[in-house]
Amino acid sequence: MEITRMSFFGNSNIGVYAYTNSKILVLPPGIGSSDQREMIEVLKVKGLIESRIAGTVLNGVFIAGNDNAIILPRIIFDDELESLRKQVREQGIDIVSYVSGSRFTALGNLLVCNNKGCIASTLFERDVVRDLSSVLGVEIVQLPLLNLEIPGSLLVVNDQGGVVHPDAGDGDLKTIEEILKVRVERATVNAGIPFVKSGLLANNHGIIVGGNTTGPEILRIRKGFGGGE
């Protein structure tokens, strides 16, 4: 599985700005074309979408999903949603773009999904979870990880493995394995940051880490994702 370092706008917190699954990469405007090409090569996505969410560049904070659907917050502007869906259609990407009705909008921090399961914050409304489960095509389990309500910030997975906040206990690891059906490694990003989502993008084909991520951290991350393809 190919892995590379990258920063956006001079910032190594790449997971705040971008979202990816194995089909699609959603970037904010302003990322250079050479960086875009490198990301497409590493992640082997079928399409690249440029979009803002609610007028911001914080796509990684606001977007969650898996290869069946991307979940967008209710605060996305109508023109942003129209543009995003148009780009998806024009690039022939078979994926649903679904707008969640939840009052909670930082979906990337509150959901962590792969194509086998999903962990959601207990903050979500029950009817929202039911609808999201149907759209994503996986069972969603609501629970805290590390006694926190931000599983999407603490954990990054694909269908082969993943990495989690270094303070995760053995019980957390067992829960993740049972729900998402992958084994994960404890890890950090960007020279010691424990909230791994902030500095990591991964799908079933490749991994991109923040520019400050150290060699030992990369080895741990690579081990967590199990090599992949």
Side-chain angles (χ1 to χ4, degrees):
M1 175 175 282
E2 189 170 357
I3 185 167
T4 190
R5 290 187 183 96
M6 191 167 289
S7 295
F8 300 153
F9 312 117
N11 191 311
S12 62
N13 295 313
I14 60 172
V16 171
Y17 298 110
Y19 168 81
T20 193
N21 56 37
S22 294
K23 291 182 178 179
I24 194 171
L25 173 63
V26 186
L27 295 175
I31 305 296
S33 57
S34 62
D35 285 343
Q36 289 185 1
R37 287 193 297 270
E38 183 177 357
M39 284 184 276
I40 291 172
E41 182 178 341
V42 171
L43 298 171
K44 297 179 175 60
V45 289
K46 298 178 181 178
L48 186 150
I49 306 300
E50 285 190 290
S51 180
R52 295 181 183 270
I53 304 294
T56 80
V57 296
L58 306 178
N59 294 351
V61 173
F62 288 121
I63 303 175
N66 61 13
D67 291 348
N68 297 318
I70 56 172
I71 310 301
L72 306 163
R74 61 177 177 78
I75 58 173
I76 188 172
F77 297 160
D78 289 344
D79 60 334
E80 294 170 341
L81 179 61
E82 181 180 351
S83 173
L84 187 151
R85 286 177 168 168
K86 180 181 179 182
Q87 292 178 71
V88 168
R89 289 194 306 270
E90 289 177 346
Q91 296 184 51
I93 306 166
D94 180 20
I95 197 165
V96 174
S97 305
Y98 178 81
V99 179
S100 167
S102 175
R103 68 183 186 276
F104 299 102
T105 57
L107 304 177
N109 293 338
L110 301 175
L111 288 163
V112 57
C113 310
N114 60 12
N115 297 316
K116 301 176 180 181
C118 183
I119 298 174
S121 170
T122 60
L123 296 173
F124 280 116
E125 306 88 341
R126 289 185 179 181
D127 60 330
V128 167
V129 171
R130 183 184 62 246
D131 292 343
L132 292 180
S133 179
S134 177
V135 171
L136 292 167
V138 296
E139 180 182 2
I140 296 179
V141 178
Q142 289 183 269
L143 52 79
L145 287 178
L146 287 77
N147 296 314
L148 297 172
E149 293 293 349
I150 48 173
S153 296
L154 305 171
L155 174 66
V156 179
V157 295
N158 62 11
D159 291 335
Q160 288 94 35
V163 293
V164 67
H165 190 293
D167 291 341
D170 291 344
D172 293 310
L173 299 186
K174 183 178 179 181
T175 296
I176 292 166
E177 184 174 354
E178 289 175 348
I179 298 171
L180 301 178
K181 300 176 178 60
V182 294
R183 300 191 68 175
V184 299
E185 289 279 333
R186 299 176 180 93
T188 57
V189 296
N190 287 324
I193 302 301
F195 295 92
V196 290
K197 166 69 178 297
S198 67
L200 177 60
L201 297 169
N203 63 16
N204 288 339
H205 311 299
I207 302 166
I208 300 174
V209 296
N212 292 332
T213 303
T214 66
E217 286 177 322
I218 288 175
L219 291 175
R220 180 65 64 115
I221 290 166
R222 187 188 296 276
K223 180 181 178 183
F225 283 97
E229 295 186 0

